[in-house]
Amino acid sequence: MPLDCLFCRIIAGEIPATIVYRDNELTAIRDINPAAPTHLLVLPNRHIDSISDAQARDQALLGALLLAGARLAQQAGLDGGYRLVINTGADAGQSVHHLHLHILGGRAMRWPPG
Ligand code: 5GP
Ligand code: ZN
């Protein structure tokens, strides 16, 4: 685990966060600066820099990540719809370099995103 990785430190319990789901592979937390009424982040417990760094061996983990996103959105009552987002790299504004899935919902969203 990179010692300077914020999300690794949250997963390890070294930095506090509101954890809404946890299993052997994944941790889901509330985003500290929500961009929508519901804004959750699903993190693989094992550090991967970005989706671009995922390998074939991560296939099941990535499936679990998406399924957790859908399930948590349903549990949050986002019946009107929601968005699952993986920002990747500088142009997309990825600011934490530990792969994470955003779950955004609770308001209407525009397309294309900014
Ligand atoms: P990115 O821009 O990398 O796709 O998303 C990183 C997200 O992490 C942002 O939405 C940001 O608000 C969130 N974030 C940054 N620092 C913290 C923190 O210390 N705790 C939590 N819960 N979320 C954070
Ligand atoms: Zn990490």
Side-chain angles (χ1 to χ4, degrees):
M1 136 183 163
L3 291 174
D4 57 348
C5 175
L6 173 65
F7 287 169
C8 280
R9 296 190 68 193
I10 285 176
I11 291 160
E14 295 172 11
I15 293 176
T18 304
I19 295 175
V20 298
Y21 177 76
R22 177 127 207 187
D23 65 23
N24 286 340
E25 292 183 305
L26 303 169
T27 299
I29 61 174
R30 289 203 180 283
D31 197 291
I32 204 168
N33 183 23
T38 295
H39 189 171
L40 306 177
L41 303 170
V42 193
L43 325 171
N45 293 339
R46 176 165 54 83
H47 183 93
I48 300 172
D49 272 13
S50 80
I51 192 71
S52 290
D53 297 289
Q55 308 292 321
R57 70 179 173 127
D58 300 319
Q59 184 166 326
L61 174 64
L62 298 178
L65 185 74
L66 283 176
L67 286 170
R71 198 174 58 246
L72 287 164
Q74 287 157 6
Q75 286 174 6
L78 301 179
D79 300 327
Y82 55 89
R83 195 168 283 174
L84 301 180
V85 174
I86 300 177
N87 292 322
T88 307
D91 278 0
Q94 183 180 2
S95 60
V96 179
H97 296 276
H98 178 129
L99 172 63
H100 51 281
L101 178 71
H102 294 258
I103 304 169
L104 295 154
R107 64 169 173 82
M109 284 173 225
R110 297 187 184 164
W111 193 263

